[in-house]
Amino acid sequence: MRPLINLSYIFLLLTTSSAYTFSDHISPNFTASYLQFIANTGTFLFSRNNTFKAAIFNPGGQQTSFYLCVIHAASNTIIWSANRDAPISDSNTMLLTVRGIKIVDKDGNTQWSTPTLNSTVDKLVLTEMGNLVLLDQSNGSLWESFHDPTDTIVIGQKLPVGASLSSSASDSDLSAGSYKLIVTSSDAILQWYGQTYWKLSLDTKAYRNSYDVVEYMALNQTGFYLFGHDQTVPVYQVSLPLANFRIAKLDTAGQFTISSYSGSELKQDFVGLDDGCQTPLACGIAGLCTENTVSSSPLCSCPSNFHAGPVNFGGCVPSNGSYSLPFACNYSSNSGSQSSSSVVSFLKIGYVEYFANFYFDPVMYGVSLSVCQELCSTNCSCLGIFYKNSSGSCYMVENELGSIQASSGSERDVLGFIKVNVSSTTTNDDDTDDGVGTSQNGGFPVAAAVVLPIAGFVLLMALIFLMWRRLVVSRKREAQLGKLNSHASRDLDLEAFHIPGLPTRFDYEELEEATENFKTLIGSGGFGAVYKGVLPDKSVVAVKKIVNIGIQGKKDFCTEIAVIGNIHHVNLVKLKGFCAQGRHRLLVYEYMNRGSLDRNLFGSGPVLEWQERFDVALGTARGLAYLHSGCEQKIIHCDIKPENILLQDQFHAKISDFGLSKLLSPEQSGLFTTMRGTRGYLAPEWLTNSAITEKTDVYSFGMVLLELVSGRKNCYFRSRSHSMDDNSNSGGGNSSTSSTTGLVYFPLFALEMHEQRSYLELADPRLEGRVTFEDVEKLVRVALCCVHEEPALRPNMVTVVGMLEGGTTLPQPRIESLNFLRFYGRRFTEASTIEEESEFGTVMREQTRHSASMARGSPSGFSYISSQNISGPR
Ligand SMILES: *[C@@H]1O[C@H](CO)[C@@H](O)[C@H](O)[C@H]1NC(C)=O
Ligand SMILES: *[C@@H]1O[C@H](CO)[C@@H](O)[C@H](O)[C@H]1NC(C)=O
Ligand SMILES: *[C@@H]1O[C@H](CO)[C@@H](O)[C@H](O)[C@H]1NC(C)=O
Ligand SMILES: *[C@@H]1O[C@H](CO)[C@@H](O)[C@H](O)[C@H]1NC(C)=O
Ligand SMILES: *[C@@H]1O[C@H](CO)[C@@H](O)[C@H](O)[C@H]1NC(C)=O
Ligand SMILES: *[C@@H]1O[C@H](CO)[C@@H](O)[C@H](O)[C@H]1NC(C)=O
Ligand SMILES: *[C@@H]1O[C@H](CO)[C@@H](O)[C@H](O)[C@H]1NC(C)=O
Ligand SMILES: *[C@@H]1O[C@H](CO)[C@@H](O)[C@H](O)[C@H]1NC(C)=O
Ligand SMILES: *[C@@H]1O[C@H](CO)[C@@H](O)[C@H](O)[C@H]1NC(C)=O
Ligand SMILES: *[C@@H]1O[C@H](CO)[C@@H](O)[C@H](O)[C@H]1NC(C)=O
């Protein structure tokens, strides 16, 4: 080995003395070290246009750890490092030989090398994309840094299924940290010690375009994607502003970020987790993380029974010195099962949440807290449990314990317990102090303590299932049983229909109690009345009593509920639970404190400001886009209207009643004859026999947008007094506004004003000018595109979100597909003799009755349908 070093040393001296000129490739034999290229901060190779450079580099300015890196020159961003787990000193060297690249220390030991190549190296090049490539004589690629990514990918690089990115330990220590980004066949997920804490598919900014099996992850100048076989239609897509240099990186804190460089500095375009408490170590091990409403950085504290641990521990430890946090078996010296001598206990940390519970199913359902604790105390990889009291779900923390999330005020259902190792010097007598649920193994044999409840449970399940099977044979008997003994049938239902992900199941009596016997009516929609209720844990809920759906099989109902209950999006009202008992079908939703959009928009309360209206529009669009393309199975809402858009603080909009249309009719494209009160928002295809697609929702959304602009129902009766303050200054001279009284069909008015580019005429007069021409133009143009008669001409909701956000250029509405509005509008003005309280619905019925004979298939492409078909049973 010695001679080699000497040789390379001479070579080094030679090259340094003969002023090295950079080219886009180097050939064997070549040696580089930091000291040799110190004037160029270790750089020995540039890409052709100097966009990227390869260097022996010491990140963070420290002087001990040097890495062979590929660096984006302008932003000085490391996009790849070779020897991340084997840093070298400044005098160590990189050798390029015909066998590949080798990094050797001063004793000649190899610290890192490229794998064995099946041909000899002719040259090493750094491409303009940042790919370091070893080429053979015929320019064939022997090895590429793109195939062995570290924590970053760049434009042009593909991360295939099964591959992963690993975070770096810190900005100056590039060794692999504990966070991983993994591309799976259906998603991109973030994990920490096997615990998932983020999924692209659940991110609000990601849209699903296809159901292909994912093959790789990639970036380009305008977005971030997961691609399947079809390289033109991404499976998932996150649209980003145009940028020529962009990286996707798993950073040292476990955040997945996408940044771009625009000539001055790296700017973040996307952050995987915007909720600070969702990162596994937001507050260190066992730290309690509370969302900070003022800034994005969360607030940290220690849970009850814990206090801050030593500085180098970075987290919380039990306050009682007799307890210590155990290590999971992988790290403990005596790996294997828990040694029988060690005594464990559980420290109760109150109502909390844990990031991984959101992504993993509980290890057991419907068990008691003590069964859950036993399961954990006998499993050496278990470090804590989270017990959901309402459903008896038992969640386990495995391998490593992260930060705990403080549960938000109303959600007090999940109790957290951290497993502790009880010091052997402590006596086992007193184990009943507050907050400590002990599960010692002294006296009672372990086997009995665990096996008995589990075996008993399994037997009971089997028994229950058999009994249920017998019961369904005779429906009569079930009904009788339900009447005689609701308690027994309740338990049977619970076990017999066990579907993972099912929201909390309530007893009818519980909901009766919660709503004080359905005292406070807060709304009534197409599916039934909604009542305000308070659960025993003090959380406020909205309880929907479903009527008129025709009682379906309980199992079908539960299956649908499981689908709805598994849909989580910030713009969709969360389903918290349900009740399916006897003939009762109830749904329990989170309570939305500002009520529905129609009340806020059309009501006599304070006027909704433009920004609030825009936020509602965007939130609703995002929720719908998620339903259409973000879920496992596409969900068409079928009933988008202001009544189904609910608001929470700060006018945060959430869509309610989604997924319920499936309960009405199993045929997705069939006419929903029981749909009521929604005629103003129904797309023309409802009246024809055309298929109902997600574009039907787009139409309804467009109608809602128009109402947001005007602050009124799209069809209203204008009396003389109204005309004074409303549209008295409008352009006039057009058919829909010439009469001072009568029905106004606003969508037609909007079309006409769009043609005259008089957008401000359309704005709600109550805004008194607090809105710009451009703002109104934007919403009106988007709305008109959404209500195109031809469904194919309507944009999809993902595009609508892009238009509203400004990323997609505003479209030009197609007049030829909007002329049907003139037809509608004329009908309404003709019918203006109708009594004052008339609504669009009434007129519609009048019209349909008149022209029932015109029937379907009329050449205009728009046909009527008999009145009972559209209005249905009332
Ligand atoms: C590179 O160096 C090795 C010995 O270290 C020598 O055998 C080989 O011929 C050299 N190759 C070239 C292209 O100079
Ligand atoms: C390098 O830059 C030139 C001029 O700016 C450009 O025409 C060329 O396409 C670039 N080459 C690469 C490989 O990007
Ligand atoms: C190198 O190995 C790959 C895969 O093992 C093989 O397909 C390829 O033909 C080999 N190339 C040469 C030049 O031997
Ligand atoms: C390899 O690529 C270089 C530069 O692109 C070119 O000059 C050379 O002719 C190529 N060699 C072969 C064998 O194709
Ligand atoms: C624990 O050990 C198993 C097998 O020894 C290994 O597969 C797993 O990755 C380890 N878990 C952690 C978190 O290191
Ligand atoms: C980025 O990829 C998407 C999806 O393939 C494509 O639609 C888009 O045009 C690409 N952008 C650029 C700038 O090439
Ligand atoms: C700590 O825990 C041990 C064991 O449960 C108990 O005996 C002791 O009283 C506790 N000490 C304090 C200060 O609570
Ligand atoms: C529990 O604590 C005892 C004594 O403090 C120690 O010997 C044992 O290894 C610990 N067990 C675990 C699993 O950490
Ligand atoms: C501990 O629990 C985990 C999760 O339920 C399970 O995968 C593992 O097999 C259990 N280990 C033992 C030793 O029971
Ligand atoms: C758990 O739920 C039961 C009823 O399901 C209730 O009686 C009990 O008080 C609850 N326990 C806690 C700790 O909330």
Side-chain angles (χ1 to χ4, degrees):
M1 278 298 165
R2 276 278 152 203
L4 178 94
I5 299 305
N6 290 343
L7 270 179
S8 59
Y9 226 69
I10 292 159
F11 188 77
L12 185 151
L13 289 173
L14 279 175
T15 44
T16 32
S17 54
S18 63
Y20 182 80
T21 52
F22 295 102
S23 70
D24 68 334
H25 71 273
I26 50 180
S27 305
N29 293 327
F30 179 85
T31 308
S33 78
Y34 176 76
L35 291 176
Q36 181 188 355
F37 294 108
I38 195 162
N40 278 300
T41 55
T43 305
F44 59 89
L45 180 63
F46 276 98
S47 65
R48 176 158 299 174
N49 280 0
N50 295 346
T51 310
F52 292 93
K53 58 187 188 182
I56 309 289
F57 188 64
N58 52 335
Q62 40 79 30
Q63 292 298 324
T64 51
S65 299
F66 288 76
Y67 303 88
L68 168 55
C69 298
V70 173
I71 299 169
H72 178 250
S75 63
N76 212 28
T77 309
I78 298 175
I79 63 158
W80 180 78
S81 63
N83 53 322
R84 66 186 312 199
D85 291 315
I88 54 174
S89 77
D90 56 359
S91 60
N92 293 3
T93 52
M94 183 220 72
L95 294 173
L96 174 66
T97 69
V98 291
R99 314 262 306 271
I101 304 171
K102 229 171 24 171
I103 293 173
V104 294
D105 64 18
K106 53 185 177 301
D107 297 327
N109 302 317
T110 302
Q111 299 283 344
W112 180 88
S113 70
T114 46
T116 311
L117 308 170
N118 57 6
S119 174
T120 56
V121 173
D122 181 54
K123 61 188 172 217
L124 173 69
V125 300
L126 180 58
T127 71
E128 263 303 292
M129 288 195 291
N131 194 6
L132 200 58
V133 189
L134 287 174
L135 296 175
D136 62 15
Q137 257 86 17
S138 53
N139 284 348
S141 160
L142 295 168
W143 172 90
E144 300 183 19
S145 65
F146 270 14
H147 294 163
D148 184 22
T150 52
D151 60 356
T152 303
I153 65 165
V154 295
I155 295 175
Q157 190 169 3
K158 292 178 178 178
L159 190 66
V161 148
S164 60
L165 299 179
S166 297
S167 63
S168 293
S170 76
D171 288 335
S172 56
D173 174 2
L174 303 186
S175 65
S178 35
Y179 305 100
K180 279 193 160 50
L181 177 131
I182 303 165
V183 182
T184 72
S185 58
S186 62
D187 214 334
I189 61 177
L190 293 180
Q191 284 200 337
W192 180 72
Y193 293 104
Q195 303 170 49
T196 300
Y197 62 96
W198 177 81
K199 284 186 175 181
L200 177 67
S201 59
L202 296 179
D203 196 285
T204 50
K205 295 177 212 80
Y207 295 106
R208 186 174 198 149
N209 297 309
S210 92
Y211 288 83
D212 269 6
V213 175
V214 171
E215 288 184 358
Y216 63 92
M217 177 170 131
L219 281 173
N220 73 5
Q221 286 77 2
T222 52
F224 166 73
Y225 312 92
L226 294 183
F227 279 103
H229 188 65
D230 181 349
Q231 315 223 335
T232 54
V233 181
V235 180
Y236 281 103
Q237 113 176 46
V238 175
S239 298
L240 301 169
L242 179 72
N244 284 326
F245 174 66
R246 161 165 289 141
I247 58 170
K249 174 174 178 173
L250 181 55
D251 75 13
T252 55
Q255 289 262 27
F256 179 58
T257 60
I258 301 176
S259 320
S260 58
Y261 182 76
S262 52
S264 51
E265 55 180 355
L266 221 48
K267 184 170 124 290
Q268 263 181 14
D269 297 328
F270 173 88
V271 183
L273 299 151
D274 33 17
D275 172 346
C277 286
Q278 279 295 121
T279 41
L281 281 182
C283 287
I285 294 166
L288 185 66
C289 186
T290 309
E291 221 49 73
N292 188 344
T293 47
V294 184
S295 86
S296 60
S297 58
L299 304 168
C300 293
S301 58
C302 284
S304 52
N305 296 318
F306 280 76
H307 65 70
V311 176
N312 60 357
F313 178 72
C316 302
V317 294
S319 307
N320 185 333
S322 304
Y323 302 128
S324 61
L325 291 174
F327 296 107
C329 9
N330 269 25
Y331 307 106
S332 79
S333 46
N334 56 340
S335 59
S337 66
Q338 200 94 43
S339 72
S340 52
S341 63
S342 79
V343 179
V344 298
S345 186
F346 290 93
L347 286 182
K348 182 172 171 182
I349 52 173
Y351 289 102
V352 289
E353 258 301 351
Y354 190 64
F355 61 88
N357 293 352
F358 189 67
Y359 299 97
F360 284 126
D361 285 337
V363 290
M364 279 190 109
Y365 290 100
V367 296
S368 70
L369 176 58
S370 57
V371 169
C372 186
Q373 288 185 342
E374 283 299 343
L375 214 57
C376 180
S377 58
T378 54
N379 186 328
C380 66
S381 72
C382 178
L383 294 176
I385 53 167
F386 292 89
Y387 181 73
K388 192 169 187 184
N389 192 40
S390 57
S391 60
S393 305
C394 175
Y395 296 88
M396 264 196 204
V397 179
E398 274 189 274
N399 306 328
E400 193 76 54
L401 177 68
S403 299
I404 318 289
Q405 298 164 353
S407 64
S408 51
S410 61
E411 313 223 334
R412 296 171 64 81
D413 192 18
V414 178
L415 270 175
F417 295 87
I418 292 178
K419 185 161 142 184
V420 288
N421 194 359
V422 182
S423 154
S424 48
T425 56
T426 319
T427 56
N428 297 343
D429 311 335
D430 179 25
D431 48 333
T432 48
D433 58 359
D434 199 4
V436 183
T438 317
S439 66
Q440 294 166 340
N441 306 327
F444 201 57
V446 192
V450 185
V451 173
L452 272 187
I454 293 175
F457 181 74
V458 170
L459 264 176
L460 194 72
M461 291 262 289
L463 207 70
I464 282 165
F465 185 69
L466 280 176
M467 281 172 68
W468 173 75
R469 284 295 295 273
R470 283 182 56 196
L471 283 172
V472 290
V473 174
S474 157
R475 280 179 138 212
K476 234 188 238 168
R477 273 189 61 193
E478 187 192 18
Q480 275 172 356
L481 192 98
K483 236 184 281 170
L484 284 174
N485 189 349
S486 64
H487 215 84
S489 73
R490 190 195 308 154
D491 293 344
L492 288 171
D493 293 345
L494 180 63
E495 303 309 335
F497 303 111
H498 216 101
I499 295 167
L502 210 54
T504 310
R505 186 187 182 287
F506 290 95
D507 288 337
Y508 186 72
E509 293 76 23
E510 280 178 296
L511 294 183
E512 241 176 7
E513 205 171 300
T515 56
E516 293 179 57
N517 209 5
F518 304 101
K519 196 176 92 188
T520 318
L521 182 74
I522 52 175
S524 58
F527 298 93
V530 187
Y531 302 87
K532 186 171 177 174
V534 181
L535 297 181
D537 67 2
K538 304 273 181 288
S539 60
V540 185
V541 291
V543 178
K544 181 173 294 234
K545 236 179 163 173
I546 295 189
V547 292
N548 255 343
I549 59 164
I551 298 303
Q552 301 181 336
K554 210 166 277 182
K555 189 158 186 190
D556 293 339
F557 180 79
C558 289
T559 308
E560 286 312 319
I561 296 307
V563 171
I564 299 170
N566 264 323
I567 299 173
H568 305 283
H569 188 277
V570 290
N571 296 116
L572 298 174
V573 178
K574 186 167 155 197
L575 180 68
K576 298 184 69 157
F578 70 102
C579 166
Q581 196 176 326
R583 296 184 65 81
H584 299 297
R585 297 286 183 272
L586 294 94
L587 297 176
V588 181
Y589 286 103
E590 67 175 310
Y591 180 72
M592 301 288 289
N593 57 4
R594 309 220 44 149
S596 57
L597 174 61
D598 61 319
R599 272 190 246 168
N600 286 273
L601 186 59
F602 310 133
S604 51
V607 69
L608 270 188
E609 288 302 323
W610 186 264
Q611 187 58 42
E612 291 160 354
R613 296 180 197 214
F614 183 79
D615 291 347
V616 169
L618 186 55
T620 308
R622 285 191 177 135
L624 263 182
Y626 187 77
L627 284 179
H628 291 173
S629 52
C631 315
E632 205 99 316
Q633 61 193 89
K634 179 182 292 182
I635 291 179
I636 303 172
H637 190 292
C638 296
D639 202 12
I640 289 294
K641 55 182 176 177
E643 289 82 349
N644 281 338
I645 298 168
L646 305 185
L647 305 179
Q648 224 172 22
D649 314 315
Q650 268 100 42
F651 299 95
H652 179 165
K654 298 192 182 199
I655 300 171
S656 80
D657 276 9
F658 56 89
L660 296 190
S661 55
K662 286 277 290 285
L663 295 175
L664 291 175
S665 153
E667 292 87 33
Q668 255 179 307
S669 58
L671 273 178
F672 298 170
T673 49
T674 49
M675 195 77 79
R676 302 185 298 178
T678 57
R679 282 164 298 272
Y681 311 92
L682 285 186
E685 61 263 30
W686 280 101
L687 308 177
T688 66
N689 263 339
S690 324
I692 300 304
T693 67
E694 70 268 28
K695 293 296 181 66
T696 311
D697 284 346
V698 176
Y699 180 95
S700 309
F701 175 77
M703 285 298 175
V704 172
L705 272 189
L706 290 176
E707 294 188 334
L708 279 168
V709 169
S710 69
R712 309 174 145 276
K713 287 258 174 206
N714 273 337
C715 189
Y716 61 92
F717 188 85
R718 180 174 46 195
S719 64
R720 225 169 237 104
S721 62
H722 275 138
S723 69
M724 300 302 285
D725 50 71
D726 280 349
N727 297 306
S728 52
N729 56 350
S730 72
N734 57 63
S735 61
S736 69
T737 54
S738 54
S739 58
T740 49
T741 59
L743 277 161
V744 174
Y745 186 52
F746 186 75
L748 172 57
F749 184 47
L751 173 63
E752 289 168 345
M753 289 302 106
H754 162 72
E755 288 172 320
Q756 300 172 17
R757 292 189 56 77
S758 307
Y759 295 108
L760 282 176
E761 302 293 336
L762 298 169
D764 188 343
R766 292 176 297 168
L767 287 172
E768 293 171 334
R770 294 189 301 276
V771 57
T772 66
F773 177 90
E774 289 77 19
D775 289 337
V776 183
E777 175 183 16
K778 181 172 179 177
L779 282 207
V780 170
R781 275 170 65 176
V782 172
L784 288 176
C785 289
C786 289
V787 302
H788 282 147
E789 183 178 14
E790 172 57 43
L793 290 180
R794 297 172 204 155
N796 64 33
M797 286 312 298
V798 174
T799 311
V800 170
V801 171
M803 291 169 182
L804 293 177
E805 284 176 339
T808 310
T809 48
L810 265 193
Q812 204 48 256
R814 305 271 279 267
I815 303 301
E816 73 275 15
S817 197
L818 289 167
N819 284 329
F820 77 107
L821 292 175
R822 302 185 212 278
F823 177 74
Y824 269 12
R826 222 173 298 125
R827 289 277 166 174
F828 290 121
T829 23
E830 278 168 22
S832 58
T833 49
I834 250 115
E835 62 273 40
E836 187 146 336
E837 72 272 21
S838 288
E839 271 187 302
F840 179 44
T842 324
V843 179
M844 199 64 208
R845 252 190 336 271
E846 291 295 314
Q847 294 305 310
T848 49
R849 208 168 288 151
H850 275 292
S851 31
S853 55
M854 282 170 65
R856 42 198 71 218
S858 75
S860 72
F862 172 75
S863 52
Y864 289 114
I865 167 174
S866 67
S867 60
Q868 71 263 36
N869 264 359
I870 179 154
S871 54
R874 293 228 106 203

